[in-house]
Amino acid sequence: MAGFRPSSSGLRALRPEAFGVDPGGARMARIRRSPHFKDGVFQNPGGEARTRPSGSPWDFAKLYFDKEQRVRRSPRGGIPVHATTYADLARPAATGLRVTWLGHSSVLVEIDGHRVLFDPVWGERCSPFPFAGPRRLHPVPLPLAALGRVDVVVISHDHYDHLDMPTIKALAGTDTLFAVPLGVGAHLEHWGVPAGRLRELDWHEATEVGGLTLTATPARHFCGRGLRNTQHTLWASWAVAGDEHRVYHSGDTGYFDGFKDIGAGHGPFDVTMIQLGAYAEFWPDIHMTPAEAVRAHLDLQGGGPGGVLLPIHWGTFNLAPHPWAEPGEWTKDAAEEAGQAVAFPRPGEPFEPAGELPVEAWWRPVSQPIAHPWRRPRIARGVAETSKGDLDLAGER
Protein backbone atom coordinates (compact mmCIF):
# COMPACT_ATOMS: atom_id res chain seq x y z
CA MET A 1 0.00 0.00 0.00
CA ALA A 2 1.39 3.37 -1.00
CA GLY A 3 2.15 5.86 1.78
CA PHE A 4 -0.24 8.80 2.21
CA ARG A 5 0.90 12.06 0.62
CA PRO A 6 -1.24 15.15 1.30
CA SER A 7 -2.36 16.91 -1.86
CA SER A 8 -1.16 20.42 -2.63
CA SER A 9 -4.77 21.59 -2.44
CA GLY A 10 -4.94 20.11 1.06
CA LEU A 11 -1.85 22.04 2.11
CA ARG A 12 -3.32 25.22 0.68
CA ALA A 13 -6.45 24.65 2.75
CA LEU A 14 -4.32 24.59 5.90
CA ARG A 15 -2.48 27.78 4.96
CA PRO A 16 -3.65 30.80 7.01
CA GLU A 17 -5.42 33.37 4.84
CA ALA A 18 -3.21 36.07 6.33
CA PHE A 19 -0.17 34.51 4.62
CA GLY A 20 -1.53 35.93 1.39
CA VAL A 21 -0.44 34.44 -1.94
CA ASP A 22 2.68 34.38 -4.08
CA PRO A 23 2.61 36.42 -7.29
CA GLY A 24 1.91 34.48 -10.46
CA GLY A 25 0.97 34.83 -14.10
CA ALA A 26 1.37 38.28 -15.68
CA ARG A 27 2.36 39.76 -12.32
CA MET A 28 5.26 37.32 -11.94
CA ALA A 29 6.30 37.95 -15.53
CA ARG A 30 6.49 41.66 -14.76
CA ILE A 31 8.55 40.94 -11.64
CA ARG A 32 11.05 38.95 -13.70
CA ARG A 33 11.45 41.93 -16.05
CA SER A 34 12.32 44.27 -13.19
CA PRO A 35 15.91 45.55 -13.25
CA HIS A 36 15.94 44.99 -9.47
CA PHE A 37 15.10 41.27 -9.74
CA LYS A 38 18.06 38.97 -10.23
CA ASP A 39 18.83 35.31 -9.54
CA GLY A 40 15.20 34.69 -8.65
CA VAL A 41 14.87 37.36 -5.92
CA PHE A 42 14.64 41.12 -5.50
CA GLN A 43 18.00 42.73 -4.77
CA ASN A 44 18.80 45.44 -2.23
CA PRO A 45 20.47 48.72 -3.15
CA GLY A 46 24.01 48.98 -1.88
CA GLY A 47 24.73 45.26 -2.15
CA GLU A 48 23.52 42.25 -0.23
CA ALA A 49 21.82 42.91 3.11
CA ARG A 50 21.69 40.42 5.96
CA THR A 51 18.01 39.64 6.42
CA ARG A 52 18.47 37.02 9.14
CA PRO A 53 19.85 37.79 12.61
CA SER A 54 23.64 37.70 12.67
CA GLY A 55 25.79 36.52 15.55
CA SER A 56 25.05 33.75 17.99
CA PRO A 57 21.39 32.70 18.43
CA TRP A 58 22.27 31.99 22.04
CA ASP A 59 23.49 35.57 22.58
CA PHE A 60 20.29 36.92 21.05
CA ALA A 61 18.06 34.65 23.15
CA LYS A 62 19.99 35.52 26.31
CA LEU A 63 19.46 39.24 25.67
CA TYR A 64 15.86 38.96 24.49
CA PHE A 65 14.66 36.81 27.41
CA ASP A 66 16.67 38.52 30.15
CA LYS A 67 14.14 39.42 32.88
CA GLU A 68 15.50 42.91 33.54
CA GLN A 69 15.59 43.77 29.85
CA ARG A 70 12.09 42.38 29.24
CA VAL A 71 10.67 44.78 31.82
CA ARG A 72 12.17 47.69 29.92
CA ARG A 73 10.56 46.62 26.65
CA SER A 74 7.06 47.48 27.89
CA PRO A 75 5.64 50.66 29.46
CA ARG A 76 5.02 50.66 33.19
CA GLY A 77 1.73 52.48 32.69
CA GLY A 78 -0.75 53.28 29.96
CA ILE A 79 0.75 55.02 26.94
CA PRO A 80 -1.01 58.38 26.57
CA VAL A 81 -3.09 58.13 23.40
CA HIS A 82 -4.69 61.23 21.92
CA ALA A 83 -8.41 60.65 21.50
CA THR A 84 -8.62 61.66 17.85
CA THR A 85 -12.16 62.36 16.66
CA TYR A 86 -13.76 62.59 13.24
CA ALA A 87 -14.28 66.30 13.93
CA ASP A 88 -10.51 66.76 14.43
CA LEU A 89 -9.85 65.37 10.98
CA ALA A 90 -12.87 66.92 9.24
CA ARG A 91 -11.49 70.45 9.59
CA PRO A 92 -9.21 71.39 6.67
CA ALA A 93 -5.53 71.75 7.50
CA ALA A 94 -4.82 75.45 7.96
CA THR A 95 -1.44 75.18 6.20
CA GLY A 96 -2.45 72.58 3.63
CA LEU A 97 -0.47 69.79 5.33
CA ARG A 98 -1.48 67.89 8.45
CA VAL A 99 0.02 64.65 9.76
CA THR A 100 -1.48 62.18 12.24
CA TRP A 101 0.75 59.39 13.54
CA LEU A 102 -1.56 56.52 14.47
CA GLY A 103 1.15 54.31 16.00
CA HIS A 104 4.03 52.25 14.60
CA SER A 105 4.29 53.09 10.86
CA SER A 106 0.62 53.99 10.32
CA VAL A 107 0.28 57.65 9.37
CA LEU A 108 -2.56 59.70 7.90
CA VAL A 109 -1.25 62.58 5.78
CA GLU A 110 -3.63 65.30 4.62
CA ILE A 111 -1.77 67.03 1.82
CA ASP A 112 -3.06 69.76 -0.50
CA GLY A 113 -6.66 68.60 -0.24
CA HIS A 114 -5.94 64.86 -0.50
CA ARG A 115 -5.77 62.14 2.16
CA VAL A 116 -3.05 59.49 2.12
CA LEU A 117 -2.94 56.60 4.61
CA PHE A 118 0.45 54.89 5.00
CA ASP A 119 0.85 51.29 6.25
CA PRO A 120 -2.48 51.06 8.10
CA VAL A 121 -2.43 48.45 10.87
CA TRP A 122 -5.52 48.36 13.08
CA GLY A 123 -5.04 44.75 14.22
CA GLU A 124 -4.35 43.86 17.85
CA ARG A 125 -1.31 41.77 16.86
CA CYS A 126 1.15 41.96 13.97
CA SER A 127 0.92 38.27 13.21
CA PRO A 128 -0.91 35.81 10.94
CA PHE A 129 -2.65 34.46 14.05
CA PRO A 130 -5.07 36.29 16.36
CA PHE A 131 -3.81 34.40 19.41
CA ALA A 132 -0.03 34.80 19.09
CA GLY A 133 2.59 37.32 18.05
CA PRO A 134 3.57 40.85 19.14
CA ARG A 135 0.62 42.64 20.73
CA ARG A 136 -0.10 46.36 20.83
CA LEU A 137 1.35 48.40 23.68
CA HIS A 138 -1.45 50.95 23.25
CA PRO A 139 -4.93 50.91 21.70
CA VAL A 140 -5.65 52.25 18.24
CA PRO A 141 -6.36 56.00 18.60
CA LEU A 142 -9.66 55.83 16.69
CA PRO A 143 -11.80 53.35 14.77
CA LEU A 144 -10.85 52.86 11.13
CA ALA A 145 -14.28 54.09 10.00
CA ALA A 146 -13.74 57.36 11.89
CA LEU A 147 -10.91 58.34 9.54
CA GLY A 148 -13.43 59.39 6.93
CA ARG A 149 -12.51 59.55 3.25
CA VAL A 150 -9.11 58.18 2.22
CA ASP A 151 -7.96 58.84 -1.36
CA VAL A 152 -5.10 56.36 -1.43
CA VAL A 153 -3.64 53.73 0.89
CA VAL A 154 0.13 53.33 0.51
CA ILE A 155 1.86 50.10 1.54
CA SER A 156 5.65 49.92 2.01
CA HIS A 157 6.04 46.12 2.07
CA ASP A 158 4.26 42.94 3.09
CA HIS A 159 5.49 42.28 6.65
CA TYR A 160 2.71 41.90 9.22
CA ASP A 161 3.43 45.13 11.08
CA HIS A 162 2.91 47.06 7.82
CA LEU A 163 0.35 45.02 5.90
CA ASP A 164 -2.54 43.90 8.11
CA MET A 165 -5.12 41.63 6.47
CA PRO A 166 -8.17 42.64 8.57
CA THR A 167 -7.44 46.32 7.96
CA ILE A 168 -7.03 45.79 4.22
CA LYS A 169 -10.26 43.79 4.06
CA ALA A 170 -12.12 46.64 5.77
CA LEU A 171 -10.63 49.20 3.36
CA ALA A 172 -11.42 46.95 0.39
CA GLY A 173 -15.07 47.76 1.02
CA THR A 174 -14.47 51.47 0.37
CA ASP A 175 -13.59 53.17 -2.90
CA THR A 176 -10.00 54.03 -1.94
CA LEU A 177 -7.08 53.27 -4.26
CA PHE A 178 -4.02 51.29 -3.14
CA ALA A 179 -0.42 52.08 -4.11
CA VAL A 180 1.87 49.11 -3.41
CA PRO A 181 5.33 47.81 -4.37
CA LEU A 182 5.64 45.30 -7.19
CA GLY A 183 4.18 41.90 -6.27
CA VAL A 184 2.31 43.04 -3.14
CA GLY A 185 -0.87 43.44 -5.18
CA ALA A 186 -1.25 39.65 -5.18
CA HIS A 187 -1.99 39.70 -1.44
CA LEU A 188 -4.50 42.52 -1.78
CA GLU A 189 -6.40 40.90 -4.64
CA HIS A 190 -6.54 37.69 -2.60
CA TRP A 191 -8.19 39.67 0.21
CA GLY A 192 -10.81 41.31 -1.98
CA VAL A 193 -9.26 44.48 -3.42
CA PRO A 194 -10.30 44.81 -7.09
CA ALA A 195 -7.39 44.89 -9.57
CA GLY A 196 -8.71 48.18 -10.94
CA ARG A 197 -8.03 49.91 -7.62
CA LEU A 198 -4.39 48.82 -7.46
CA ARG A 199 -1.36 50.87 -8.48
CA GLU A 200 1.55 48.42 -8.33
CA LEU A 201 4.97 50.02 -8.80
CA ASP A 202 8.62 49.13 -9.17
CA TRP A 203 11.26 51.47 -7.74
CA HIS A 204 11.38 54.83 -9.56
CA GLU A 205 7.91 54.34 -11.05
CA ALA A 206 5.20 56.89 -10.26
CA THR A 207 1.42 57.10 -10.36
CA GLU A 208 -1.00 60.01 -10.25
CA VAL A 209 -3.86 60.04 -7.74
CA GLY A 210 -5.91 63.19 -8.10
CA GLY A 211 -3.40 66.01 -7.79
CA LEU A 212 -0.75 63.88 -6.10
CA THR A 213 2.28 62.12 -7.57
CA LEU A 214 3.30 59.00 -5.67
CA THR A 215 6.73 57.54 -6.43
CA ALA A 216 8.04 54.22 -5.16
CA THR A 217 11.64 54.79 -4.11
CA PRO A 218 14.33 52.30 -3.00
CA ALA A 219 14.69 50.91 0.51
CA ARG A 220 17.09 48.40 2.08
CA HIS A 221 14.99 45.63 3.58
CA PHE A 222 13.29 42.34 2.62
CA CYS A 223 9.84 40.78 2.33
CA GLY A 224 7.76 37.71 3.15
CA ARG A 225 4.70 36.54 5.09
CA GLY A 226 4.60 32.74 4.87
CA LEU A 227 6.84 29.90 5.98
CA ARG A 228 8.48 29.90 2.56
CA ASN A 229 9.92 33.33 1.83
CA THR A 230 10.21 33.56 -1.95
CA GLN A 231 11.46 37.19 -2.00
CA HIS A 232 9.06 37.81 -4.89
CA THR A 233 7.44 40.95 -3.45
CA LEU A 234 9.26 44.26 -3.44
CA TRP A 235 9.77 46.64 -0.51
CA ALA A 236 9.81 50.42 -0.98
CA SER A 237 9.90 53.85 0.53
CA TRP A 238 7.55 56.48 -0.91
CA ALA A 239 7.76 60.11 -2.01
CA VAL A 240 4.44 61.94 -2.35
CA ALA A 241 4.24 65.36 -4.00
CA GLY A 242 1.22 67.65 -4.12
CA ASP A 243 0.77 71.11 -5.58
CA GLU A 244 2.45 72.77 -2.59
CA HIS A 245 3.90 70.10 -0.32
CA ARG A 246 6.11 67.01 -0.39
CA VAL A 247 6.32 64.16 2.12
CA TYR A 248 8.41 61.00 2.44
CA HIS A 249 7.68 57.68 4.17
CA SER A 250 10.65 55.35 4.62
CA GLY A 251 8.84 52.06 5.23
CA ASP A 252 11.43 49.75 6.79
CA THR A 253 15.03 50.22 5.72
CA GLY A 254 18.63 50.14 6.74
CA TYR A 255 20.76 53.22 6.15
CA PHE A 256 22.24 53.52 2.64
CA ASP A 257 23.59 56.22 0.34
CA GLY A 258 20.41 56.19 -1.75
CA PHE A 259 18.72 58.67 0.57
CA LYS A 260 20.81 61.41 -1.05
CA ASP A 261 19.53 60.45 -4.51
CA ILE A 262 15.93 60.26 -3.31
CA GLY A 263 16.23 63.73 -1.81
CA ALA A 264 17.84 65.14 -4.94
CA GLY A 265 15.12 63.67 -7.15
CA HIS A 266 12.01 64.20 -5.05
CA GLY A 267 12.81 66.52 -2.13
CA PRO A 268 13.30 68.52 -0.13
CA PHE A 269 10.38 67.38 2.02
CA ASP A 270 8.11 69.25 4.40
CA VAL A 271 8.04 66.17 6.60
CA THR A 272 9.81 62.82 6.56
CA MET A 273 8.34 59.80 8.34
CA ILE A 274 11.36 57.64 9.10
CA GLN A 275 11.72 54.21 10.71
CA LEU A 276 13.95 54.37 13.77
CA GLY A 277 12.71 51.60 16.06
CA ALA A 278 13.20 47.81 16.19
CA TYR A 279 16.94 48.21 15.56
CA ALA A 280 19.51 45.77 16.93
CA GLU A 281 23.13 44.86 16.38
CA PHE A 282 21.82 41.47 15.20
CA TRP A 283 20.23 43.00 12.04
CA PRO A 284 22.06 46.27 11.28
CA ASP A 285 21.43 46.17 7.51
CA ILE A 286 17.63 46.30 7.49
CA HIS A 287 16.57 48.72 10.26
CA MET A 288 18.00 52.08 11.31
CA THR A 289 19.01 53.39 14.70
CA PRO A 290 17.76 56.89 15.57
CA ALA A 291 21.20 58.35 14.76
CA GLU A 292 21.09 56.74 11.31
CA ALA A 293 17.52 57.96 10.82
CA VAL A 294 18.53 61.55 11.55
CA ARG A 295 21.40 61.14 9.08
CA ALA A 296 18.94 59.79 6.50
CA HIS A 297 16.66 62.78 7.04
CA LEU A 298 19.55 65.18 6.51
CA ASP A 299 20.48 63.32 3.30
CA LEU A 300 16.89 63.60 2.07
CA GLN A 301 16.97 67.35 2.74
CA GLY A 302 20.13 67.94 0.72
CA GLY A 303 22.68 67.50 3.50
CA GLY A 304 21.47 69.85 6.23
CA PRO A 305 18.57 70.47 8.60
CA GLY A 306 15.21 71.18 7.02
CA GLY A 307 11.57 70.23 7.23
CA VAL A 308 10.32 68.11 10.12
CA LEU A 309 11.31 64.56 11.07
CA LEU A 310 8.50 62.34 12.37
CA PRO A 311 9.86 59.18 14.07
CA ILE A 312 7.87 56.05 13.17
CA HIS A 313 8.09 52.28 13.77
CA TRP A 314 8.40 52.59 17.54
CA GLY A 315 6.24 52.70 20.67
CA THR A 316 3.45 50.38 19.48
CA PHE A 317 4.85 46.84 19.07
CA ASN A 318 7.72 45.17 20.91
CA LEU A 319 9.90 43.92 18.04
CA ALA A 320 13.51 44.23 19.27
CA PRO A 321 15.65 43.92 22.42
CA HIS A 322 15.94 47.66 23.09
CA PRO A 323 13.76 49.44 25.70
CA TRP A 324 10.43 50.43 24.14
CA ALA A 325 10.94 54.18 24.71
CA GLU A 326 14.65 54.31 23.86
CA PRO A 327 14.02 55.46 20.26
CA GLY A 328 12.35 58.62 21.57
CA GLU A 329 15.26 59.52 23.85
CA TRP A 330 17.92 58.72 21.29
CA THR A 331 16.12 60.68 18.56
CA LYS A 332 15.85 63.75 20.79
CA ASP A 333 19.60 63.69 21.42
CA ALA A 334 20.63 62.99 17.82
CA ALA A 335 18.29 65.62 16.36
CA GLU A 336 19.38 68.24 18.89
CA GLU A 337 23.02 67.73 17.95
CA ALA A 338 22.12 68.05 14.26
CA GLY A 339 19.91 71.11 14.79
CA GLN A 340 16.96 69.25 13.24
CA ALA A 341 13.28 69.82 14.13
CA VAL A 342 11.49 66.66 15.30
CA ALA A 343 7.81 66.10 16.07
CA PHE A 344 6.89 63.80 18.97
CA PRO A 345 3.09 63.51 18.82
CA ARG A 346 1.23 61.12 21.04
CA PRO A 347 -0.37 58.36 18.98
CA GLY A 348 -3.40 59.92 17.30
CA GLU A 349 -2.34 63.55 17.82
CA PRO A 350 -2.61 65.60 14.57
CA PHE A 351 -0.06 68.33 13.89
CA GLU A 352 0.89 70.63 11.03
CA PRO A 353 4.61 70.70 10.18
CA ALA A 354 4.43 74.44 9.45
CA GLY A 355 2.73 75.11 12.79
CA GLU A 356 3.55 74.42 16.42
CA LEU A 357 5.19 71.01 16.77
CA PRO A 358 4.44 68.53 19.57
CA VAL A 359 7.80 68.13 21.32
CA GLU A 360 7.00 66.89 24.84
CA ALA A 361 8.72 63.63 25.83
CA TRP A 362 5.37 62.01 26.61
CA TRP A 363 6.92 58.54 27.12
CA ARG A 364 8.98 59.46 30.17
CA PRO A 365 6.22 59.19 32.83
CA VAL A 366 5.40 55.63 31.72
CA SER A 367 8.91 54.38 30.98
CA GLN A 368 11.57 52.73 33.08
CA PRO A 369 14.74 54.88 33.38
CA ILE A 370 16.57 54.88 30.06
CA ALA A 371 20.35 54.77 29.79
CA HIS A 372 21.99 56.90 27.09
CA PRO A 373 24.88 54.75 25.81
CA TRP A 374 24.95 56.67 22.51
CA ARG A 375 26.14 59.83 24.25
CA ARG A 376 29.87 60.40 23.93
CA PRO A 377 32.15 62.13 26.47
CA ARG A 378 32.50 65.86 26.09
CA ILE A 379 35.92 67.42 25.52
CA ALA A 380 36.83 70.28 27.84
CA ARG A 381 38.38 73.16 25.89
CA GLY A 382 37.33 76.13 27.96
CA VAL A 383 33.75 75.54 26.78
CA ALA A 384 32.55 71.92 26.59
CA GLU A 385 31.96 70.70 23.07
CA THR A 386 30.85 67.49 21.50
CA SER A 387 33.29 65.39 19.53
CA LYS A 388 32.84 65.96 15.81
CA GLY A 389 32.11 62.29 15.19
CA ASP A 390 29.48 61.93 17.89
CA LEU A 391 26.46 61.76 15.62
CA ASP A 392 28.04 59.18 13.34
CA LEU A 393 29.40 57.10 16.21
CA ALA A 394 26.03 57.06 17.95
CA GLY A 395 24.83 54.44 15.49
CA GLU A 396 27.76 52.08 16.13
CA ARG A 397 26.69 49.78 18.93
Side-chain angles (χ1 to χ4, degrees):
M1 180 177 177
F4 172 74
R5 177 179 294 177
S7 67
S8 60
S9 60
L11 290 175
R12 283 196 296 271
L14 296 174
R15 177 187 175 104
E17 187 182 13
F19 277 10
V21 296
D22 294 333
R27 179 176 276 117
M28 192 63 215
R30 185 182 169 201
I31 288 171
R32 291 193 180 100
R33 293 194 300 270
S34 168
H36 310 110
F37 191 78
K38 183 181 178 183
D39 298 329
V41 296
F42 279 109
Q43 304 291 321
N44 265 302
E48 185 177 356
R50 289 168 289 176
T51 59
R52 296 181 181 275
S54 60
S56 163
W58 173 248
D59 288 342
F60 176 76
K62 195 163 52 173
L63 175 64
Y64 195 82
F65 292 106
D66 178 82
K67 288 184 178 180
E68 181 179 347
Q69 296 302 320
R70 287 181 68 182
V71 168
R72 298 179 184 278
R73 291 203 300 273
S74 296
R76 63 182 182 183
I79 290 177
V81 175
H82 180 84
T84 317
T85 66
Y86 180 80
D88 288 335
L89 302 176
R91 290 189 296 269
T95 62
L97 178 63
R98 181 167 58 207
V99 179
T100 307
W101 179 52
L102 297 160
H104 202 58
S105 295
S106 302
V107 188
L108 176 68
V109 174
E110 299 165 271
I111 173 172
D112 299 337
H114 303 276
R115 307 179 96 227
V116 183
L117 182 60
F118 291 94
D119 284 358
V121 174
W122 258 251
E124 182 65 17
R125 296 181 186 272
C126 51
S127 165
F129 309 107
F131 53 84
R135 193 170 189 173
R136 286 183 166 274
L137 300 178
H138 65 79
V140 180
L142 79 169
L144 187 60
L147 280 180
R149 172 185 60 85
V150 173
D151 295 297
V152 58
V153 173
V154 178
I155 304 297
S156 64
H157 63 298
D158 67 1
H159 285 159
Y160 290 97
D161 57 323
H162 297 260
L163 180 60
D164 180 54
M165 182 188 71
T167 305
I168 296 301
K169 282 190 164 188
L171 290 166
T174 70
D175 60 358
T176 187
L177 299 175
F178 293 81
V180 303
L182 193 55
V184 175
H187 298 311
L188 273 63
E189 284 191 55
H190 183 61
W191 298 331
V193 177
R197 283 169 42 205
L198 285 172
R199 305 290 184 268
E200 198 164 343
L201 307 182
D202 201 347
W203 291 339
H204 310 298
E205 292 182 341
T207 187
E208 301 289 327
V209 175
L212 301 178
T213 301
L214 294 85
T215 306
T217 46
R220 190 164 164 78
H221 200 57
F222 68 112
C223 65
R225 294 178 71 84
L227 298 177
R228 186 173 64 91
N229 187 354
T230 61
Q231 294 290 78
H232 287 172
T233 59
L234 188 60
W235 47 95
S237 57
W238 290 86
V240 178
D243 292 335
E244 302 292 336
H245 297 92
R246 294 170 180 262
V247 303
Y248 172 83
H249 189 285
S250 72
D252 277 1
T253 182
Y255 179 82
F256 69 115
D257 287 342
F259 292 116
K260 299 172 185 175
D261 295 330
I262 294 170
H266 305 283
F269 299 98
D270 297 279
V271 63
T272 68
M273 299 156 271
I274 298 189
Q275 171 265 310
L276 46 69
Y279 48 83
E281 60 188 10
F282 298 97
W283 48 80
D285 296 344
I286 55 173
H287 281 171
M288 289 191 290
T289 67
E292 290 170 324
V294 170
R295 190 187 314 167
H297 174 90
L298 300 178
D299 288 350
L300 290 161
Q301 301 297 71
V308 175
L309 166 61
L310 172 64
I312 62 171
H313 203 266
W314 75 289
T316 301
F317 296 109
N318 182 348
L319 302 176
H322 63 68
W324 76 273
E326 183 181 275
E329 289 291 331
W330 192 348
T331 303
K332 282 186 78 72
D333 285 351
E336 181 181 344
E337 291 194 10
Q340 174 57 51
V342 183
F344 289 108
R346 293 166 174 80
E349 181 180 2
F351 72 94
E352 302 196 24
E356 183 177 354
L357 299 180
V359 296
E360 180 186 355
W362 52 263
W363 56 87
R364 287 176 179 166
V366 294
S367 170
Q368 298 286 342
I370 298 173
H372 292 65
W374 53 86
R375 287 181 178 169
R376 317 308 278 185
R378 303 234 171 212
I379 302 172
R381 291 183 182 172
V383 177
E385 64 181 28
T386 303
S387 170
K388 183 179 179 181
D390 282 1
L391 182 58
D392 289 339
L393 290 172
E396 297 176 11
R397 302 186 60 194

